[in-house]
Amino acid sequence: SLSSIRPQGVWSPDDETSLVAWYQNAVGITLNGSDVSEWADSAPAGLYDMVQATASEQPAYSAGVLTFASADNNNLQTSGADIELTGDFTIGAKLHLTAGGGTLLGDNTENGEFIRFTSVTELRVRVASATAVNIDKDSGTFLEDAYMVLTRSSDVFTLYWKGVAQADTETKAGTALIDAIGVRNSDNNPYEGTISEIQIYSSSSATLTANINDRLSTL
């Protein structure tokens, strides 16, 4: 398992009591050769390790970066219960999308639960098997080395792309379920690109968003 040392005096996701799961950059990685068989949850409770026993579906790994190939259906899934986000939440990720249509986070056992890029300019969020909401990028495309923060506050979704809040906000209530990185039920819309870190919180605030953006911008 690969690990790193936290610098003193620097904000860390585990400073937050609302941290649910943290797939930390270059930490908690178990390799099968050069591929990832497990990405351990770095949150204090450590309840939601992501694993993949099928060798052909394990994402490649190099220097803190997991590469997901949609043609190989690369994905990781929780070894136990689903992550359940009932109210406000915040999700941050360092990523580089290389094709539209891929699932960043989803539930591979329940229908209608995912956060996925439906095109190179649109992010779709679906929770509680309800009608999905679509968030459009202000300009340009998602096909770049970037970091994102998705917040839900009082049922309103806001997407921050490279630290900038996008103008298109959407409203949707309901419990969000997550048990997979890279796919949704059943093994649909696999992600194409790289992921270096994912953070999941059961709260939302301007300060938390700023801290996540600051951290992800340095990865």
Side-chain angles (χ1 to χ4, degrees), residues 56-72:
S56 63
E57 295 185 2
Q58 293 170 353
Y61 181 83
S62 177
V65 177
L66 285 73
T67 299
F68 292 75
S70 59
D72 296 329

Side-chain angles (χ1 to χ4, degrees), residues 126-137:
R126 189 173 178 186
V127 299
S129 297
T131 304
V133 294
N134 300 321
I135 302 173
D136 294 321
K137 195 171 185 296

Side-chain angles (χ1 to χ4, degrees), residues 11-22 83 85 87-92 150 197-204 208 211-212 215:
W11 176 88
S12 176
D14 56 9
D15 292 336
E16 305 293 331
T17 59
S18 65
L19 179 65
V20 176
W22 179 19
I83 297 169
L85 303 171
D88 289 1
F89 67 78
T90 303
I91 294 172
L150 179 69
E197 177 159 305
I198 296 175
Q199 306 167 25
I200 302 174
Y201 305 82
S202 60
S203 69
S204 177
L208 177 60
N211 283 332
I212 298 170
R215 174 180 165 82

